Amino acid sequence: LKLASYFRMWSTQLSWLSNETKAELEKTARAIVADGKGILAADESNGTMGKRLANINVPNEENNRRVYRGMLFDNAEKVKHAIGGVILFEETLFQKRDDGTRLVQPLLDAGIIIGIKVDKGVVPFPGCREGEVYVQGIDGLGDRLVKYKEAGCRFAKWRGVLKIGADTPSTLAIQTITRDLARYAAVCQKHGIVPIVEPEILPDGDHSIEVCQRVTEQVLSAQYNELIKHNVHIDGTLLKPNMVTSGMSASVKAPVEEIAWRTVRALQRGVPSCMPGVVFLSGGQSEQEASRNLDALNRIDTIKPWKLSFSFGRALQASALKAWGGKSENLAAGGEAFVKRANANGLAAQGRYEEAGETAADSGSLHVPNHVY
């Protein structure tokens, strides 16, 4: 009787979402990670985009940001088999081209689903340990989601940030980051928006891969506990975690096969099988390294009830940005570089990636310490 009463209570709590809304959320989530498809994370804030543009000696001006992202989006037809969704920054969502059409129109025409970054960035966490942060943006989120959905967005992203150190992440930081992600996810689903849940553990540090796995499992367990407590419809979400790797400064770096096995094991221990897809962040890995690791994850023979795909920013864009160089005559070259990376990761998401044809430019580290958007 007690068990039956518990399930009746749980069912009632979930009834705040209609069956139609749940079905639509599930349909969108599955479409984004359909076979061989992943996400282009083009949601860099203006400040972060300025740092990227500075690397190629291009001023951080709205038109330059518009031209660069337009170059990526103009190749939508060529990458629609590999890109299921694109995360946007608010500025990009509402930008228009010189002819008055929306900057994102090629994505919509190609059937690529657009989403939006909704967190407002990180700030130092008073009362926690040095270097720990919390994320702003819950206030007013519902009103913003109404506007974004009217503009065509069907999913959203919120990034929580944790860091491995001698005494971090603290219990309070894990609780706060995972709780806020759950609150965000519930608000998204209320508005018919699929939430991407991103409890990122930064790669900074000299920790071993064993430590990374332990912390990742702890965080994932806390995350799904919070999502369930907040009555989030897990089937209508996506997870964007870090891969389990050695710290960037570690003296011994784990090989790709160990990264794959430990990452999948962490997921098996903490992620419900009903969750449609895991879209990994690249975490400062080189373009080639990110593709190689994703490919290994999809090749190993074990139980993997979720799609294992990508939500890459730098690992999809670094070569394209360099090839473009801020010059109009290089737009075609920049677009070709982007298409190449999209194709590589689409294959990696199916365990079919081959490194033949990769160049030295594809293998350079993209790590940024204490990375913020």
Side-chain angles (χ1 to χ4, degrees):
L1 289 176
K2 287 184 178 180
L3 186 61
S5 176
Y6 168 78
F7 279 114
R8 280 196 299 272
M9 178 185 70
W10 183 73
S11 176
T12 300
Q13 289 172 332
L14 284 184
S15 66
W16 68 282
L17 287 177
S18 69
N19 289 334
E20 291 77 11
T21 297
K22 287 188 282 188
E24 187 62 30
L25 292 168
E26 293 174 22
K27 180 180 178 182
T28 298
R30 290 194 299 267
I32 292 170
V33 293
D35 289 348
K37 291 186 178 183
I39 296 172
L40 164 64
D43 59 328
E44 301 91 348
S45 68
N46 290 345
T48 298
M49 198 64 220
K51 295 174 184 176
R52 308 272 168 84
L53 293 174
N55 290 333
I56 56 170
N57 298 312
V58 172
N60 185 22
E61 299 170 353
E62 181 182 355
N63 189 60
N64 288 331
R65 296 191 295 269
R66 184 186 66 147
V67 169
Y68 169 67
R69 285 172 172 149
M71 175 190 75
L72 303 178
F73 302 165
D74 284 344
N75 287 278
E77 279 293 330
K78 296 179 181 179
V79 300
K80 64 182 182 181
H81 60 284
I83 302 295
V86 176
I87 311 172
L88 305 169
F89 189 61
E90 184 176 52
E91 175 186 80
T92 312
L93 176 62
F94 296 105
Q95 278 179 321
K96 293 188 176 181
R97 298 166 183 266
D98 291 338
D99 63 4
T101 60
R102 297 182 68 187
L103 188 66
V104 299
Q105 196 59 48
L107 301 175
L108 300 172
D109 292 342
I112 295 174
I113 300 170
I114 60 172
I116 185 78
K117 164 189 162 71
V118 297
D119 69 79
K120 294 293 186 178
V122 300
V123 292
F125 197 161
C128 268
R129 293 174 183 146
E130 184 176 357
E132 293 194 308
V133 298
Y134 71 95
V135 186
Q136 304 176 104
I138 282 291
D139 291 347
L141 177 58
D143 292 337
R144 286 187 284 131
L145 287 172
V146 171
K147 178 176 67 172
Y148 299 148
K149 190 169 186 182
E150 289 175 349
C153 293
R154 292 165 57 190
F155 72 98
K157 191 205 81 168
W158 177 289
R159 176 183 181 244
V161 183
L162 296 161
K163 185 175 180 179
I164 295 175
D167 55 359
T168 59
S170 66
T171 299
L172 180 57
I174 293 174
Q175 289 173 342
T176 302
I177 289 294
T178 57
R179 181 201 64 201
D180 288 350
L181 277 162
R183 292 170 64 198
Y184 137 83
V187 176
C188 282
Q189 291 192 334
K190 176 184 177 181
H191 292 278
I193 298 286
V194 171
I196 294 181
V197 178
E198 183 179 0
E200 178 179 2
I201 301 168
L202 294 174
D204 306 46
D206 59 1
H207 53 271
S208 67
I209 191 171
E210 291 87 355
V211 169
C212 184
Q213 181 181 351
R214 175 176 55 79
V215 175
T216 298
E217 290 176 3
Q218 181 183 10
V219 171
L220 290 176
S221 177
Q223 184 63 77
Y224 281 95
N225 182 50
E226 287 293 338
L227 290 169
I228 291 169
K229 284 199 299 185
H230 284 75
N231 302 311
V232 171
H233 183 52
I234 305 297
D235 311 51
T237 66
L238 294 171
L239 174 69
K240 181 172 178 174
N242 52 283
M243 296 181 190
V244 174
T245 64
S246 311
M248 282 290 182
S249 303
S251 57
V252 177
K253 296 292 182 70
V256 61
E257 295 81 6
E258 186 175 3
I259 291 171
W261 275 106
R262 288 186 179 275
T263 300
V264 171
R265 185 65 74 205
L267 296 172
Q268 290 171 334
R269 290 172 175 166
V271 180
S273 60
C274 63
M275 201 280 302
V278 180
V279 287
F280 291 100
L281 56 91
S282 56
Q285 300 175 57
S286 72
E287 293 178 330
Q288 187 174 336
E289 184 180 13
S291 300
R292 185 190 305 130
N293 287 336
L294 179 62
D295 181 72
L297 283 159
N298 281 286
R299 286 181 187 256
I300 59 175
D301 184 16
T302 187
I303 298 172
K304 296 174 289 186
W306 345 263
K307 295 287 187 181
L308 299 180
S309 192
F310 60 92
S311 178
F312 293 165
R314 287 165 287 172
L316 269 172
Q317 299 182 53
S319 290
L321 186 67
K322 184 176 181 180
W324 170 57
K327 300 177 181 179
S328 58
E329 62 267 29
N330 291 339
L331 287 171
E336 289 172 6
F338 168 60
V339 171
K340 175 184 174 182
R341 293 316 322 159
N343 286 335
N345 288 300
L347 291 171
Q350 302 171 77
R352 297 171 48 212
Y353 169 68
E354 300 291 342
E355 293 188 32
E358 300 282 35
T359 66
D362 304 321
S363 60
S365 174
L366 302 173
H367 177 237
V368 177
N370 295 306
H371 180 54
V372 296
Y373 284 94

